[in-house]
């Protein structure tokens, strides 16, 4: 990771809350880096197929991330367990992503990424069915710690899962464009019709609702958004904050 093709910015720029900060990092790929050109993770050995013995489960407990938390502690989903899903950054993301070279996955050498595709989708469905059985009163999935919605069919899977598994709730961020990208259009259809259970925000979009943005360098706040409470010491983690799935207000993140 620290080879000549990767420029590490000041060590202090690594986020205190890397798992909840969308699409930014202290590690920026230099133009022409193979991970940039090929559209893949900087850490290919961490990208595993779902039948790889190293993959213990597709949906990991939020307990594994101190910035997510094990169970929701406030709001309508109180007591719901939280799970996270991690795909391969860049491979599943739109090339239009403004942080294509500076994705915060560049600073996550140990995160296990799942190979996407039909096999993954079949096992994801089975995993959601299992969670529905175990947590019929509600569970929450954070999409995607890394990666993004990669096809219209994959978005449709989530739309169908919301119907099949009434305990399922989702929150997350996407770099897809809701107007010009068919995948973004599909996300928009699901989120617009069922925001309460599919709270997926548009990364970098303007406006005071349904967006997530990084506060520009030199500024301390975004007047149209709520600054992520976990980044300013007002909440310990997502479980204790709940804003992302409770509120439609845009969320702003500090760049460290
Ligand atoms: S606003 Fe709250 S729920 Fe959203 S990322 Fe920050 S801590 Fe998590």
């Amino acid at each position: 990771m620290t080879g000549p093709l990767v420029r590490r910015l000041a060590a202090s720029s690594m986020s205190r809350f890397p798992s909840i900060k969308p699409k930014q990092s202290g590690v920026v790929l230099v133009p022409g880096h193979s991970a940039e050109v090929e559209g893949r993770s900087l850490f290919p050995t961490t990208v595993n197929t779902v039948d790889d013995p190293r993959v213990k489960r597709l949906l990991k407990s939020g307990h594994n991330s101190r910035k997510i938390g094990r169970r929701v502690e406030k709001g309508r989903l109180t007591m719901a367990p939280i799970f996270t899903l991690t795909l391969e950054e860049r491979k599943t993301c739109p090339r239009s992503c403004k942080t294509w070279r500076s994705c915060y996955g560049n600073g996550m050498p140990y995160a296990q990424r799942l190979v996407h595709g039909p096999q993954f989708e079949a096992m994801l469905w089975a995993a959601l069915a299992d969670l529905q059985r175990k947590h019929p009163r509600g569970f929450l999935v954070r999409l995607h710690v890394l990666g993004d919605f990669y096809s219209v069919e994959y978005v449709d899977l989530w739309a169908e899962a919301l119907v099949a598994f009434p305990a399922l709730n989702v929150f997350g961020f996407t770099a897809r464009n809701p107007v010009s990208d068919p995948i973004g259009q599909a996300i928009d259809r699901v989120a617009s019709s069922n925001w309460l259970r599919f709270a997926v925000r548009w990364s970098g979009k303007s406006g005071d609702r349904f967006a997530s943005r990084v506060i520009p360098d030199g500024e301390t706040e975004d007047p149209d958004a709520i600054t992520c409470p976990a980044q300013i010491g007002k909440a310990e983690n997502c479980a204790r904050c709940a804003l992302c799935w409770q509120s439609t207000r845009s969320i702003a993140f500090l760049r460290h």
Side-chain angles (χ1 to χ4, degrees), residues 1 6 8 14 24-29 35 40-43 89-90 99-109 113 146:
M1 183 180 75
V6 177
R8 180 181 288 278
M14 296 300 288
Q24 57 180 316
S25 164
V27 181
V28 183
L29 303 178
R40 61 165 174 79
S41 172
L42 187 55
F43 310 104
E89 69 273 31
R90 283 186 284 276
T99 53
W100 184 258
R101 290 193 293 117
S102 59
C103 172
Y104 73 84
N106 295 344
M108 296 173 65
R113 289 89 164 157
L146 296 174

Side-chain angles (χ1 to χ4, degrees), residues 137-211:
R137 298 177 66 179
F139 62 98
L140 178 62
V141 178
R142 160 72 160 95
L143 298 179
H144 300 91
V145 175
L146 296 174
D148 209 323
F149 295 93
Y150 54 84
S151 70
V152 171
E153 291 73 21
Y154 177 57
V155 180
D156 289 344
L157 179 151
W158 282 103
E160 291 164 18
L162 289 170
V163 175
F165 310 124
L168 169 64
N169 297 268
V170 171
F171 84 103
F173 313 90
T174 180
R176 296 285 169 186
N177 186 301
V179 177
S180 61
D181 181 341
I183 301 173
Q185 294 168 3
I187 297 166
D188 191 31
R189 282 194 292 275
V190 184
S192 299
S193 62
N194 201 351
W195 170 263
L196 203 58
R197 293 180 57 208
F198 194 78
V200 174
R201 291 164 192 277
W202 307 104
S203 298
K205 189 172 177 287
S206 61
D208 62 1
R209 297 179 70 201
F210 305 116

Side-chain angles (χ1 to χ4, degrees), residues 6-251:
V6 177
R7 176 164 53 96
R8 180 181 288 278
L9 300 183
S12 60
S13 69
M14 296 300 288
S15 171
R16 186 174 163 225
F17 298 107
S19 63
I20 58 174
K21 193 172 60 172
K23 311 298 182 194
Q24 57 180 316
S25 164
V27 181
V28 183
L29 303 178
V30 295
H33 188 285
S34 57
E36 178 207 2
V37 174
E38 295 168 17
R40 61 165 174 79
S41 172
L42 187 55
F43 310 104
T45 59
T46 66
V47 184
N48 303 138
T49 56
V50 288
D51 60 353
D52 188 304
R54 288 171 291 185
V55 176
K56 303 300 180 202
R57 50 186 60 83
L58 274 69
L59 296 162
K60 298 184 188 303
S61 170
H63 185 55
N64 294 316
S65 167
R66 67 187 178 90
K67 304 310 169 292
I68 297 290
R70 185 200 297 266
R71 285 183 186 276
V72 179
E73 296 188 31
K74 66 190 291 188
R76 66 180 180 83
L77 291 177
T78 296
M79 293 304 291
I82 308 175
F83 300 90
T84 63
L85 180 61
T86 304
L87 300 180
E88 183 176 2
E89 69 273 31
R90 283 186 284 276
K91 184 78 82 182
T92 56
C93 304
R95 283 198 177 252
S96 58
C97 176
K98 292 183 177 67
T99 53
W100 184 258
R101 290 193 293 117
S102 59
C103 172
Y104 73 84
N106 295 344
M108 296 173 65
Y110 305 114
Q112 184 175 64
R113 289 89 164 157
L114 298 171
V115 174
H116 65 286
Q119 188 185 26
F120 156 73
E121 292 173 11
M123 289 193 65
L124 173 62
W125 190 269
L128 291 171
D130 188 45
L131 290 178
Q132 172 69 38
R133 275 191 298 276
K134 290 177 176 163
H135 309 288
R137 298 177 66 179
F139 62 98
L140 178 62
V141 178
R142 160 72 160 95
L143 298 179
H144 300 91
V145 175
L146 296 174
D148 209 323
F149 295 93
Y150 54 84
S151 70
V152 171
E153 291 73 21
Y154 177 57
V155 180
D156 289 344
L157 179 151
W158 282 103
E160 291 164 18
L162 289 170
V163 175
F165 310 124
L168 169 64
N169 297 268
V170 171
F171 84 103
F173 313 90
T174 180
R176 296 285 169 186
N177 186 301
V179 177
S180 61
D181 181 341
I183 301 173
Q185 294 168 3
I187 297 166
D188 191 31
R189 282 194 292 275
V190 184
S192 299
S193 62
N194 201 351
W195 170 263
L196 203 58
R197 293 180 57 208
F198 194 78
V200 174
R201 291 164 192 277
W202 307 104
S203 298
K205 189 172 177 287
S206 61
D208 62 1
R209 297 179 70 201
F210 305 116
S212 61
R213 290 186 293 274
V214 175
I215 297 172
D217 289 338
E219 297 179 24
T220 55
E221 62 178 14
D222 180 327
D224 290 332
I226 302 172
T227 302
C228 169
Q231 286 193 309
I232 54 175
K234 291 189 174 176
E236 184 178 330
N237 53 26
C238 294
R240 292 191 170 182
C241 170
L243 257 183
C244 276
W245 58 91
Q246 287 278 128
S247 171
T248 60
R249 284 285 308 278
S250 294
I251 307 288

